[in-house]
Coordinates of all heavy atoms in Angstrom, one line a residue:
N1 N 154.0 61.9 56.8 CA 153.1 61.0 57.6 C 153.5 61.1 59.1 O 152.6 61.0 60.0 CB 153.3 59.5 57.2 CG 152.6 59.2 55.9 OD1 151.7 59.9 55.5 ND2 153.1 58.2 55.1
E2 N 154.8 61.3 59.4 CA 155.2 61.5 60.8 C 154.7 62.8 61.4 O 154.3 62.9 62.5 CB 156.7 61.4 60.9 CG 157.4 60.1 60.6 CD 156.8 59.0 61.5 OE1 156.7 59.2 62.7 OE2 156.5 57.9 60.9
F3 N 154.6 63.8 60.5 CA 154.1 65.1 60.9 C 152.6 64.9 61.3 O 152.1 65.5 62.3 CB 154.2 66.2 59.8 CG 155.5 66.8 59.7 CD1 156.1 67.0 58.4 CD2 156.3 67.1 60.8 CE1 157.3 67.6 58.3 CE2 157.5 67.7 60.7 CZ 158.1 68.0 59.4
I4 N 151.9 64.2 60.5 CA 150.5 63.9 60.7 C 150.2 63.2 62.0 O 149.3 63.5 62.8 CB 149.8 63.1 59.5 CG1 149.8 64.0 58.2 CG2 148.4 62.6 59.8 CD1 149.5 63.2 57.0
K5 N 151.1 62.2 62.3 CA 151.0 61.4 63.5 C 151.2 62.3 64.7 O 150.5 62.2 65.7 CB 152.0 60.3 63.5 CG 151.7 59.1 62.6 CD 152.8 58.1 62.7 CE 152.7 57.0 61.6 NZ 153.8 56.0 61.7
L6 N 152.3 63.1 64.7 CA 152.6 64.0 65.8 C 151.5 65.0 66.0 O 151.1 65.3 67.1 CB 153.9 64.7 65.6 CG 154.3 65.7 66.6 CD1 154.5 65.0 68.0 CD2 155.6 66.4 66.3
H7 N 150.9 65.5 64.9 CA 149.8 66.5 64.9 C 148.6 65.9 65.6 O 148.0 66.5 66.5 CB 149.5 66.9 63.5 CG 148.3 67.9 63.5 ND1 147.0 67.6 63.3 CD2 148.3 69.3 63.6 CE1 146.3 68.6 63.3 NE2 147.0 69.7 63.4
K8 N 148.3 64.7 65.3 CA 147.2 64.0 65.9 C 147.4 63.8 67.5 O 146.4 64.1 68.2 CB 147.0 62.6 65.3 CG 145.7 61.9 65.7 CD 145.6 60.5 65.0 CE 144.3 59.8 65.5 NZ 144.2 58.5 64.9
K9 N 148.6 63.5 67.9 CA 148.9 63.3 69.3 C 148.8 64.7 70.0 O 148.2 64.8 71.1 CB 150.3 62.8 69.5 CG 150.4 61.3 69.2 CD 151.8 60.8 69.4 CE 151.9 59.3 69.0 NZ 153.3 58.8 69.1
L10 N 149.4 65.7 69.4 CA 149.4 67.0 70.1 C 148.0 67.7 70.2 O 147.7 68.4 71.1 CB 150.4 68.0 69.4 CG 151.9 67.5 69.4 CD1 152.7 68.7 68.9 CD2 152.3 67.2 70.9
K11 N 147.2 67.4 69.2 CA 145.8 67.9 69.2 C 145.0 67.5 70.4 O 144.1 68.2 70.9 CB 145.0 67.5 67.9 CG 145.4 68.3 66.7 CD 145.0 69.7 66.7 CE 143.5 69.9 66.4 NZ 143.1 71.4 66.3
E12 N 145.4 66.3 70.9 CA 144.7 65.8 72.2 C 145.0 66.7 73.4 O 144.2 66.8 74.3 CB 145.2 64.4 72.5 CG 144.9 63.4 71.4 CD 145.6 62.0 71.7 OE1 146.1 61.9 72.9 OE2 145.6 61.1 70.9
F13 N 146.1 67.5 73.3 CA 146.5 68.3 74.5 C 146.0 69.8 74.3 O 146.1 70.6 75.2 CB 148.0 68.3 74.7 CG 148.6 67.0 74.9 CD1 149.6 66.5 74.0 CD2 148.1 66.2 75.9 CE1 150.2 65.2 74.2 CE2 148.7 64.9 76.1 CZ 149.7 64.4 75.2
E14 N 145.5 70.1 73.1 CA 145.2 71.5 72.8 C 144.2 72.2 73.8 O 144.4 73.4 74.1 CB 144.6 71.6 71.3 CG 144.6 73.0 70.8 CD 144.2 73.1 69.3 OE1 143.6 72.1 68.8 OE2 144.6 74.1 68.7
H15 N 143.3 71.4 74.3 CA 142.3 72.0 75.2 C 142.5 71.5 76.6 O 141.6 71.7 77.5 CB 140.9 71.7 74.7 CG 140.6 72.3 73.3 ND1 140.6 73.6 73.0 CD2 140.4 71.6 72.1 CE1 140.4 73.8 71.8 NE2 140.3 72.6 71.2
D16 N 143.6 70.8 76.9 CA 143.9 70.4 78.2 C 144.4 71.6 79.0 O 145.4 72.2 78.6 CB 145.0 69.3 78.2 CG 145.3 68.7 79.5 OD1 145.3 69.5 80.5 OD2 145.5 67.5 79.6
P17 N 143.7 72.0 80.1 CA 144.2 73.2 80.8 C 145.6 73.2 81.4 O 146.2 74.2 81.5 CB 143.2 73.3 82.0 CG 142.6 71.9 82.1 CD 142.6 71.4 80.8
Y18 N 146.1 71.9 81.6 CA 147.5 71.8 82.1 C 148.5 71.7 81.0 O 149.7 71.9 81.2 CB 147.6 70.6 83.0 CG 146.7 70.6 84.2 CD1 145.9 69.5 84.5 CD2 146.7 71.7 85.1 CE1 145.0 69.5 85.6 CE2 145.9 71.7 86.2 CZ 145.0 70.6 86.4 OH 144.2 70.6 87.5
Q19 N 148.1 71.4 79.8 CA 149.1 71.3 78.7 C 149.0 72.4 77.6 O 150.0 72.6 77.0 CB 148.8 69.9 78.0 CG 148.9 68.7 78.9 CD 150.3 68.5 79.4 OE1 151.3 68.8 78.7 NE2 150.4 68.0 80.6
S20 N 147.8 73.0 77.5 CA 147.6 73.9 76.4 C 148.5 75.1 76.4 O 148.8 75.7 75.4 CB 146.2 74.4 76.4 OG 145.8 75.0 77.6
R21 N 149.0 75.5 77.6 CA 149.9 76.7 77.7 C 151.2 76.5 76.9 O 151.8 77.5 76.5 CB 150.1 77.0 79.1 CG 150.6 78.5 79.2 CD 150.9 78.9 80.7 NE 151.5 80.2 80.6 CZ 152.8 80.4 80.3 NH1 153.6 79.3 80.1 NH2 153.3 81.6 80.3
A22 N 151.6 75.3 76.8 CA 152.9 75.0 76.0 C 152.8 75.6 74.6 O 153.8 76.0 74.0 CB 153.2 73.5 76.0
F23 N 151.6 75.6 74.0 CA 151.4 76.0 72.7 C 151.5 77.5 72.5 O 151.6 78.1 71.4 CB 150.0 75.6 72.1 CG 149.9 74.1 72.1 CD1 148.9 73.4 72.8 CD2 150.7 73.3 71.3 CE1 148.7 72.1 72.8 CE2 150.6 71.9 71.3 CZ 149.6 71.3 72.0
L24 N 151.4 78.3 73.7 CA 151.5 79.7 73.6 C 152.9 80.2 73.4 O 153.1 81.3 72.8 CB 150.9 80.3 74.9 CG 149.4 80.1 75.1 CD1 149.0 80.5 76.5 CD2 148.5 80.8 74.1
Y25 N 153.9 79.4 73.8 CA 155.3 79.8 73.6 C 155.7 79.5 72.1 O 156.4 80.2 71.5 CB 156.2 79.0 74.5 CG 156.3 79.6 75.9 CD1 155.5 79.2 76.9 CD2 157.2 80.6 76.1 CE1 155.6 79.7 78.2 CE2 157.4 81.1 77.4 CZ 156.5 80.7 78.4 OH 156.6 81.3 79.7
L26 N 155.2 78.3 71.7 CA 155.5 77.9 70.3 C 154.3 77.2 69.7 O 153.9 76.1 70.3 CB 156.8 77.0 70.3 CG 157.2 76.4 69.0 CD1 157.5 77.4 68.0 CD2 158.4 75.4 69.2
D27 N 153.7 77.7 68.7 CA 152.5 77.1 68.1 C 152.9 76.0 67.2 O 152.9 76.0 66.0 CB 151.8 78.2 67.3 CG 150.4 77.8 66.9 OD1 150.1 76.6 67.1 OD2 149.6 78.6 66.5
I28 N 153.3 74.9 67.9 CA 153.7 73.7 67.2 C 152.7 73.1 66.3 O 153.0 72.6 65.2 CB 154.2 72.6 68.3 CG1 155.3 73.1 69.1 CG2 154.6 71.3 67.5 CD1 155.7 72.2 70.3
I29 N 151.4 73.2 66.8 CA 150.3 72.6 65.9 C 150.2 73.3 64.6 O 150.1 72.7 63.5 CB 149.0 72.7 66.7 CG1 149.0 71.6 67.8 CG2 147.8 72.4 65.8 CD1 147.8 71.6 68.7
S30 N 150.3 74.7 64.6 CA 150.2 75.4 63.4 C 151.4 75.2 62.5 O 151.3 75.1 61.3 CB 150.1 76.9 63.7 OG 148.9 77.3 64.2
W31 N 152.6 75.0 63.1 CA 153.8 74.6 62.3 C 153.6 73.3 61.6 O 153.9 73.1 60.4 CB 155.0 74.6 63.2 CG 156.2 74.2 62.5 CD1 156.9 74.9 61.5 CD2 156.9 72.9 62.6 NE1 158.0 74.2 61.0 CE2 158.0 73.0 61.7 CE3 156.8 71.8 63.4 CZ2 158.9 71.9 61.6 CZ3 157.7 70.8 63.3 CH2 158.7 70.8 62.4

């Protein structure tokens, strides 16, 4: 359930031009 909560929060940043680059170093959402 905690994974699901964090996933929901991080998905909000996936297409944010200032935040999305963080996912290129480590694909936290896919994990």
